Amino acid sequence: MLPFLLRRLLQAALVLLCVAFVSFILFQYVGDPVVFLLGQDASAAEIAALRSDLGLDRPSWIQFLHFLGNAASGEFGTSLRHGAKVSTLLAARLPATLELSLVAAALALLIGVPAGVYTALRRRAPGSQALMVLSLLGVSLPTFLIGILMILVFSVLLGWLPSFGRGPLVSIAGVETSLATWVGWSHVVMPAATLAVFQVALLLRLVRAEMLEVLRTDYIKFARARGLPDRVVHFRHALRNTLVPVITVAGLQLGSLIAFAIITETVFQWPGMGLLFIEAVTFADIPVMAAYLCVVSLIFVAINLGVDLLYFGIDPRLHPHRSSGH
Protein backbone atom coordinates (compact mmCIF):
# COMPACT_ATOMS: atom_id res chain seq x y z
CA MET A 1 0.00 0.00 0.00
CA LEU A 2 2.76 2.47 0.93
CA PRO A 3 4.74 2.06 -2.35
CA PHE A 4 1.49 2.49 -4.29
CA LEU A 5 0.66 5.67 -2.37
CA LEU A 6 4.18 7.10 -2.76
CA ARG A 7 4.16 6.40 -6.50
CA ARG A 8 0.80 8.15 -6.91
CA LEU A 9 1.95 11.12 -4.83
CA LEU A 10 5.07 11.46 -6.98
CA GLN A 11 2.98 11.37 -10.15
CA ALA A 12 0.62 13.96 -8.69
CA ALA A 13 3.53 16.24 -7.80
CA LEU A 14 4.91 16.00 -11.34
CA VAL A 15 1.52 16.87 -12.83
CA LEU A 16 1.14 19.88 -10.56
CA LEU A 17 4.67 21.00 -11.41
CA CYS A 18 3.91 20.86 -15.14
CA VAL A 19 0.67 22.82 -14.68
CA ALA A 20 2.51 25.39 -12.57
CA PHE A 21 5.06 25.80 -15.37
CA VAL A 22 2.28 26.35 -17.94
CA SER A 23 0.67 28.90 -15.61
CA PHE A 24 4.02 30.66 -15.21
CA ILE A 25 4.39 30.82 -18.98
CA LEU A 26 1.13 32.79 -19.07
CA PHE A 27 2.78 35.51 -17.00
CA GLN A 28 5.77 35.56 -19.33
CA TYR A 29 4.26 35.49 -22.80
CA VAL A 30 0.55 36.35 -22.61
CA GLY A 31 0.60 40.10 -22.28
CA ASP A 32 2.62 42.30 -19.96
CA PRO A 33 1.10 42.88 -16.49
CA VAL A 34 3.07 46.11 -16.15
CA VAL A 35 1.31 47.56 -19.19
CA PHE A 36 -2.06 46.45 -17.82
CA LEU A 37 -1.37 48.10 -14.47
CA LEU A 38 0.16 51.38 -15.69
CA GLY A 39 -1.47 51.76 -19.08
CA GLN A 40 0.00 52.64 -22.47
CA ASP A 41 0.96 56.20 -21.46
CA ALA A 42 3.37 55.21 -18.67
CA SER A 43 6.93 56.46 -18.91
CA ALA A 44 9.93 54.15 -19.22
CA ALA A 45 11.03 55.03 -15.68
CA GLU A 46 7.63 54.08 -14.24
CA ILE A 47 7.63 50.81 -16.16
CA ALA A 48 11.15 49.95 -15.01
CA ALA A 49 10.31 50.78 -11.38
CA LEU A 50 7.18 48.62 -11.37
CA ARG A 51 8.98 45.73 -13.07
CA SER A 52 11.59 45.90 -10.34
CA ASP A 53 8.93 45.98 -7.60
CA LEU A 54 7.18 42.96 -9.09
CA GLY A 55 10.44 41.08 -9.56
CA LEU A 56 9.98 40.85 -13.33
CA ASP A 57 13.55 42.01 -13.96
CA ARG A 58 14.98 38.86 -12.37
CA PRO A 59 16.03 35.74 -14.34
CA SER A 60 13.15 33.51 -15.42
CA TRP A 61 14.17 30.56 -13.26
CA ILE A 62 14.19 32.75 -10.14
CA GLN A 63 10.76 34.09 -11.07
CA PHE A 64 9.52 30.52 -11.53
CA LEU A 65 10.78 29.46 -8.09
CA HIS A 66 9.16 32.55 -6.60
CA PHE A 67 5.92 31.68 -8.41
CA LEU A 68 6.05 28.10 -7.06
CA GLY A 69 6.55 29.36 -3.53
CA ASN A 70 3.63 31.74 -3.78
CA ALA A 71 1.39 29.11 -5.42
CA ALA A 72 2.22 26.60 -2.67
CA SER A 73 1.04 29.17 -0.11
CA GLY A 74 -2.09 29.98 -2.11
CA GLU A 75 -0.94 33.37 -3.33
CA PHE A 76 -1.28 34.25 -7.02
CA GLY A 77 -0.92 38.00 -6.94
CA THR A 78 -3.53 40.66 -7.58
CA SER A 79 -6.27 40.57 -10.18
CA LEU A 80 -5.63 43.10 -12.93
CA ARG A 81 -9.36 43.66 -13.40
CA HIS A 82 -10.77 43.54 -9.88
CA GLY A 83 -7.77 44.93 -8.02
CA ALA A 84 -8.21 42.30 -5.29
CA LYS A 85 -6.10 39.33 -4.28
CA VAL A 86 -6.69 36.38 -6.60
CA SER A 87 -6.83 33.96 -3.67
CA THR A 88 -9.69 36.01 -2.18
CA LEU A 89 -11.62 35.96 -5.46
CA LEU A 90 -11.20 32.20 -5.86
CA ALA A 91 -12.18 31.53 -2.24
CA ALA A 92 -15.38 33.52 -2.80
CA ARG A 93 -16.23 31.72 -6.07
CA LEU A 94 -15.16 28.15 -5.23
CA PRO A 95 -18.18 27.28 -3.01
CA ALA A 96 -20.59 28.15 -5.83
CA THR A 97 -18.74 25.90 -8.29
CA LEU A 98 -18.50 23.04 -5.79
CA GLU A 99 -22.19 23.41 -4.98
CA LEU A 100 -23.19 23.25 -8.64
CA SER A 101 -20.82 20.37 -9.43
CA LEU A 102 -21.84 18.22 -6.45
CA VAL A 103 -25.54 18.61 -7.22
CA ALA A 104 -24.86 17.72 -10.86
CA ALA A 105 -22.78 14.69 -9.81
CA ALA A 106 -25.55 13.52 -7.47
CA LEU A 107 -28.09 13.81 -10.28
CA ALA A 108 -25.80 11.91 -12.64
CA LEU A 109 -25.32 9.04 -10.19
CA LEU A 110 -28.95 8.85 -9.07
CA ILE A 111 -30.21 8.77 -12.66
CA GLY A 112 -27.37 7.29 -14.71
CA VAL A 113 -26.60 4.17 -12.64
CA PRO A 114 -30.20 2.91 -12.22
CA ALA A 115 -30.95 3.72 -15.86
CA GLY A 116 -27.85 1.80 -16.96
CA VAL A 117 -28.87 -1.23 -14.87
CA TYR A 118 -32.39 -1.09 -16.30
CA THR A 119 -31.22 -0.91 -19.91
CA ALA A 120 -28.86 -3.85 -19.31
CA LEU A 121 -31.50 -6.08 -17.70
CA ARG A 122 -34.36 -5.06 -20.03
CA ARG A 123 -32.55 -4.64 -23.32
CA ARG A 124 -35.59 -5.17 -25.55
CA ALA A 125 -38.10 -3.17 -23.51
CA PRO A 126 -39.47 0.01 -25.13
CA GLY A 127 -38.35 2.05 -22.12
CA SER A 128 -34.82 0.74 -22.51
CA GLN A 129 -34.73 1.65 -26.18
CA ALA A 130 -36.04 5.13 -25.41
CA LEU A 131 -33.37 5.64 -22.76
CA MET A 132 -30.65 4.63 -25.21
CA VAL A 133 -31.92 7.16 -27.74
CA LEU A 134 -32.03 9.86 -25.07
CA SER A 135 -28.51 8.98 -23.94
CA LEU A 136 -27.28 9.39 -27.49
CA LEU A 137 -28.85 12.85 -27.58
CA GLY A 138 -27.30 13.66 -24.21
CA VAL A 139 -23.84 12.77 -25.48
CA SER A 140 -24.30 14.61 -28.78
CA LEU A 141 -25.94 17.90 -27.80
CA PRO A 142 -23.59 20.71 -26.72
CA THR A 143 -23.98 21.95 -23.16
CA PHE A 144 -24.75 25.55 -24.07
CA LEU A 145 -27.63 24.44 -26.31
CA ILE A 146 -29.12 22.30 -23.54
CA GLY A 147 -28.90 25.25 -21.17
CA ILE A 148 -30.52 27.66 -23.62
CA LEU A 149 -33.35 25.20 -24.32
CA MET A 150 -33.96 24.74 -20.59
CA ILE A 151 -34.12 28.51 -20.08
CA LEU A 152 -36.55 28.82 -23.00
CA VAL A 153 -38.88 26.10 -21.73
CA PHE A 154 -38.77 26.37 -17.94
CA SER A 155 -38.11 30.10 -17.53
CA VAL A 156 -39.54 31.88 -20.57
CA LEU A 157 -42.47 29.68 -21.60
CA LEU A 158 -43.51 28.09 -18.31
CA GLY A 159 -42.06 30.56 -15.82
CA TRP A 160 -41.30 27.85 -13.28
CA LEU A 161 -37.61 28.49 -12.59
CA PRO A 162 -35.29 31.52 -12.53
CA SER A 163 -32.97 31.78 -15.50
CA PHE A 164 -29.82 33.15 -13.85
CA GLY A 165 -28.05 33.74 -10.56
CA ARG A 166 -27.43 31.66 -7.46
CA GLY A 167 -30.23 32.80 -5.19
CA PRO A 168 -30.12 33.85 -1.52
CA LEU A 169 -27.24 32.49 0.56
CA VAL A 170 -27.44 30.98 4.03
CA SER A 171 -24.36 30.53 6.22
CA ILE A 172 -24.00 27.01 7.65
CA ALA A 173 -20.93 26.30 9.78
CA GLY A 174 -19.20 29.29 8.21
CA VAL A 175 -19.93 28.15 4.62
CA GLU A 176 -22.41 30.09 2.52
CA THR A 177 -24.77 27.92 0.48
CA SER A 178 -27.93 28.43 -1.53
CA LEU A 179 -29.13 24.86 -0.96
CA ALA A 180 -30.69 25.67 2.42
CA THR A 181 -33.76 27.37 0.89
CA TRP A 182 -36.32 26.42 -1.74
CA VAL A 183 -35.48 29.58 -3.67
CA GLY A 184 -31.84 28.52 -3.76
CA TRP A 185 -32.79 25.08 -5.04
CA SER A 186 -34.94 26.67 -7.75
CA HIS A 187 -31.84 28.53 -8.94
CA VAL A 188 -29.56 25.48 -8.97
CA VAL A 189 -31.92 22.98 -10.62
CA MET A 190 -31.49 24.06 -14.23
CA PRO A 191 -27.71 24.65 -14.28
CA ALA A 192 -27.11 21.41 -12.37
CA ALA A 193 -29.37 19.47 -14.72
CA THR A 194 -27.63 21.04 -17.73
CA LEU A 195 -24.25 20.08 -16.36
CA ALA A 196 -25.45 16.56 -15.51
CA VAL A 197 -26.97 15.64 -18.88
CA PHE A 198 -23.72 14.49 -20.47
CA GLN A 199 -22.67 12.70 -17.28
CA VAL A 200 -26.00 10.85 -17.05
CA ALA A 201 -25.69 9.67 -20.64
CA LEU A 202 -22.07 8.62 -20.10
CA LEU A 203 -22.79 6.68 -16.90
CA LEU A 204 -25.87 5.05 -18.41
CA ARG A 205 -23.96 3.69 -21.37
CA LEU A 206 -20.95 2.72 -19.25
CA VAL A 207 -23.01 0.86 -16.64
CA ARG A 208 -24.99 -0.88 -19.35
CA ALA A 209 -21.88 -2.03 -21.22
CA GLU A 210 -20.09 -3.18 -18.05
CA MET A 211 -23.11 -5.01 -16.68
CA LEU A 212 -23.75 -6.83 -19.95
CA GLU A 213 -20.11 -7.92 -19.88
CA VAL A 214 -20.37 -9.12 -16.27
CA LEU A 215 -23.61 -11.01 -16.95
CA ARG A 216 -21.75 -13.09 -19.55
CA THR A 217 -19.03 -14.22 -17.13
CA ASP A 218 -18.73 -17.77 -15.81
CA TYR A 219 -19.37 -16.98 -12.16
CA ILE A 220 -22.73 -15.39 -13.03
CA LYS A 221 -23.65 -18.54 -14.97
CA PHE A 222 -22.58 -20.61 -11.95
CA ALA A 223 -24.71 -18.43 -9.65
CA ARG A 224 -27.72 -19.00 -11.89
CA ALA A 225 -26.99 -22.74 -11.97
CA ARG A 226 -27.06 -22.77 -8.17
CA GLY A 227 -30.63 -21.55 -8.34
CA LEU A 228 -30.06 -18.10 -6.91
CA PRO A 229 -32.92 -15.68 -7.61
CA ASP A 230 -32.42 -13.05 -10.29
CA ARG A 231 -32.47 -10.24 -7.71
CA VAL A 232 -29.48 -11.73 -5.91
CA VAL A 233 -27.60 -12.47 -9.15
CA HIS A 234 -28.23 -9.04 -10.62
CA PHE A 235 -27.71 -6.77 -7.63
CA ARG A 236 -25.47 -8.68 -5.23
CA HIS A 237 -23.05 -10.19 -7.74
CA ALA A 238 -23.35 -8.49 -11.15
CA LEU A 239 -23.92 -4.91 -10.02
CA ARG A 240 -21.17 -5.02 -7.40
CA ASN A 241 -18.57 -6.00 -9.99
CA THR A 242 -20.01 -3.57 -12.52
CA LEU A 243 -19.48 -0.61 -10.20
CA VAL A 244 -15.72 -1.18 -9.81
CA PRO A 245 -14.73 0.53 -13.10
CA VAL A 246 -17.69 2.91 -12.81
CA ILE A 247 -16.22 4.35 -9.60
CA THR A 248 -13.07 5.35 -11.46
CA VAL A 249 -14.96 7.06 -14.26
CA ALA A 250 -17.39 8.75 -11.87
CA GLY A 251 -14.53 10.17 -9.83
CA LEU A 252 -12.79 11.57 -12.88
CA GLN A 253 -16.08 12.99 -14.15
CA LEU A 254 -16.51 14.85 -10.86
CA GLY A 255 -13.23 16.58 -11.61
CA SER A 256 -14.50 17.33 -15.10
CA LEU A 257 -17.69 18.83 -13.69
CA ILE A 258 -15.67 21.21 -11.54
CA ALA A 259 -13.18 22.08 -14.26
CA PHE A 260 -15.51 22.37 -17.22
CA ALA A 261 -18.52 24.03 -15.61
CA ILE A 262 -17.38 27.15 -17.45
CA ILE A 263 -20.02 27.00 -20.18
CA THR A 264 -22.87 26.23 -17.79
CA GLU A 265 -21.85 29.00 -15.41
CA THR A 266 -21.66 31.44 -18.32
CA VAL A 267 -25.09 30.50 -19.72
CA PHE A 268 -26.82 30.78 -16.33
CA GLN A 269 -24.57 33.55 -14.95
CA TRP A 270 -23.71 31.28 -12.04
CA PRO A 271 -21.13 33.15 -9.90
CA GLY A 272 -18.52 30.38 -9.77
CA MET A 273 -14.90 29.95 -10.78
CA GLY A 274 -15.84 29.20 -14.38
CA LEU A 275 -17.55 32.54 -14.85
CA LEU A 276 -14.58 34.24 -13.17
CA PHE A 277 -12.24 32.49 -15.62
CA ILE A 278 -14.29 33.60 -18.64
CA GLU A 279 -14.18 37.18 -17.38
CA ALA A 280 -10.42 36.84 -16.86
CA VAL A 281 -9.93 35.62 -20.44
CA THR A 282 -12.02 38.50 -21.78
CA PHE A 283 -9.96 41.11 -19.92
CA ALA A 284 -6.61 39.25 -20.13
CA ASP A 285 -6.50 38.96 -16.34
CA ILE A 286 -3.44 36.68 -16.30
CA PRO A 287 -3.13 36.12 -12.52
CA VAL A 288 -6.70 34.83 -12.35
CA MET A 289 -6.18 32.58 -15.40
CA ALA A 290 -3.00 31.11 -13.92
CA ALA A 291 -4.59 30.60 -10.51
CA TYR A 292 -7.61 28.89 -12.08
CA LEU A 293 -5.37 26.43 -13.89
CA CYS A 294 -3.48 25.59 -10.70
CA VAL A 295 -6.59 25.20 -8.54
CA VAL A 296 -8.41 23.05 -11.08
CA SER A 297 -5.38 20.83 -11.59
CA LEU A 298 -5.06 20.43 -7.81
CA ILE A 299 -8.72 19.39 -7.58
CA PHE A 300 -8.27 16.95 -10.47
CA VAL A 301 -5.16 15.42 -8.92
CA ALA A 302 -6.77 15.14 -5.48
CA ILE A 303 -9.87 13.43 -6.87
CA ASN A 304 -7.79 11.13 -9.07
CA LEU A 305 -5.64 10.16 -6.09
CA GLY A 306 -8.72 9.49 -3.98
CA VAL A 307 -10.25 7.33 -6.72
CA ASP A 308 -6.99 5.38 -7.09
CA LEU A 309 -6.91 4.68 -3.36
CA LEU A 310 -10.57 3.67 -3.35
CA TYR A 311 -10.04 1.44 -6.38
CA PHE A 312 -7.02 -0.10 -4.67
CA GLY A 313 -9.11 -0.81 -1.60
CA ILE A 314 -12.09 -2.45 -3.32
CA ASP A 315 -10.26 -4.44 -5.99
CA PRO A 316 -8.20 -7.26 -4.41
CA ARG A 317 -6.41 -7.94 -7.69
CA LEU A 318 -4.36 -4.77 -7.17
CA HIS A 319 -2.87 -6.02 -3.90
CA PRO A 320 0.62 -7.32 -4.70
CA HIS A 321 0.74 -9.76 -1.78
CA ARG A 322 -2.43 -11.40 -3.06
CA SER A 323 -1.56 -11.47 -6.73
CA SER A 324 1.89 -12.87 -6.12
CA GLY A 325 0.52 -15.82 -4.21
CA HIS A 326 -1.74 -17.07 -6.96
Side-chain angles (χ1 to χ4, degrees):
M1 179 65 177
L2 184 58
F4 175 83
L5 178 60
L6 292 177
R7 186 168 61 251
R8 287 293 186 267
L9 289 175
L10 178 60
Q11 293 172 352
L14 291 176
V15 171
L16 291 176
L17 185 62
C18 292
V19 173
F21 180 73
V22 173
S23 302
F24 174 74
I25 293 299
L26 288 176
F27 281 97
Q28 297 292 314
Y29 299 106
V30 182
D32 189 348
V34 174
V35 175
F36 284 112
L37 291 173
L38 295 179
Q40 299 288 343
D41 299 330
S43 64
E46 292 174 337
I47 292 177
L50 183 57
R51 291 186 68 85
S52 177
D53 292 339
L54 296 177
L56 299 179
D57 56 344
R58 302 174 183 175
S60 296
W61 66 272
I62 294 180
Q63 294 184 44
F64 181 58
L65 292 178
H66 184 68
F67 176 82
L68 284 179
N70 289 338
S73 61
E75 293 295 333
F76 295 93
T78 302
S79 170
L80 303 180
R81 177 173 181 248
H82 298 277
K85 294 177 65 175
V86 176
S87 57
T88 303
L89 294 175
L90 290 179
R93 300 292 189 103
L94 181 60
T97 297
L98 292 178
E99 184 177 280
L100 176 62
S101 301
L102 291 176
V103 173
L107 287 175
L109 290 173
L110 292 175
I111 299 174
V113 174
V117 173
Y118 173 77
T119 55
L121 300 180
R122 301 288 185 268
R123 284 177 290 175
R124 303 186 186 281
S128 178
Q129 300 296 324
L131 285 174
M132 292 303 296
V133 173
L134 290 176
S135 70
L136 185 61
L137 289 175
V139 172
S140 304
L141 291 178
T143 301
F144 74 89
L145 179 59
I146 296 174
I148 292 174
L149 290 176
M150 283 194 174
I151 292 175
L152 175 64
V153 174
F154 296 104
S155 294
V156 178
L157 298 180
L158 299 177
W160 290 353
L161 299 171
S163 60
F164 66 93
R166 190 181 175 191
L169 302 179
V170 177
S171 180
I172 299 178
V175 178
E176 292 187 337
T177 177
S178 63
L179 301 182
T181 63
W182 287 110
V183 177
W185 275 101
S186 68
H187 279 81
V188 79
V189 165
M190 278 202 301
T194 300
L195 195 58
V197 166
F198 177 81
Q199 312 301 329
V200 169
L202 179 66
L203 286 178
L204 186 155
R205 301 180 78 87
L206 176 64
V207 171
R208 179 180 185 273
E210 290 292 335
M211 193 156 191
L212 288 176
E213 187 69 25
V214 170
L215 289 174
R216 287 194 288 264
T217 57
D218 292 337
Y219 72 88
I220 294 296
K221 296 177 182 178
F222 179 71
R224 293 185 188 278
R226 290 175 55 197
L228 295 178
D230 288 343
R231 178 177 56 84
V232 175
V233 174
H234 292 160
F235 297 102
R236 181 176 297 180
H237 297 287
L239 181 59
R240 179 179 298 177
N241 289 277
T242 296
L243 292 180
V244 172
V246 172
I247 289 174
T248 303
V249 176
L252 295 178
Q253 289 305 307
L254 175 59
S256 299
L257 287 174
I258 297 173
F260 303 122
I262 298 175
I263 298 175
T264 303
E265 291 184 2
T266 303
V267 171
F268 291 95
Q269 289 299 291
W270 187 265
M273 291 196 307
L275 184 60
L276 180 66
F277 178 76
I278 289 296
E279 294 172 351
V281 172
T282 304
F283 291 90
D285 197 344
I286 303 170
V288 174
M289 295 165 59
Y292 179 82
L293 290 177
C294 292
V295 171
V296 167
S297 64
L298 178 61
I299 293 174
F300 249 114
V301 167
I303 292 176
N304 194 19
L305 181 61
V307 169
D308 284 342
L309 294 177
L310 181 61
Y311 198 76
F312 185 87
I314 63 178
D315 192 345
R317 293 171 297 179
L318 297 179
H319 292 257
H321 64 276
R322 294 185 183 181
S323 60
S324 59
H326 295 281

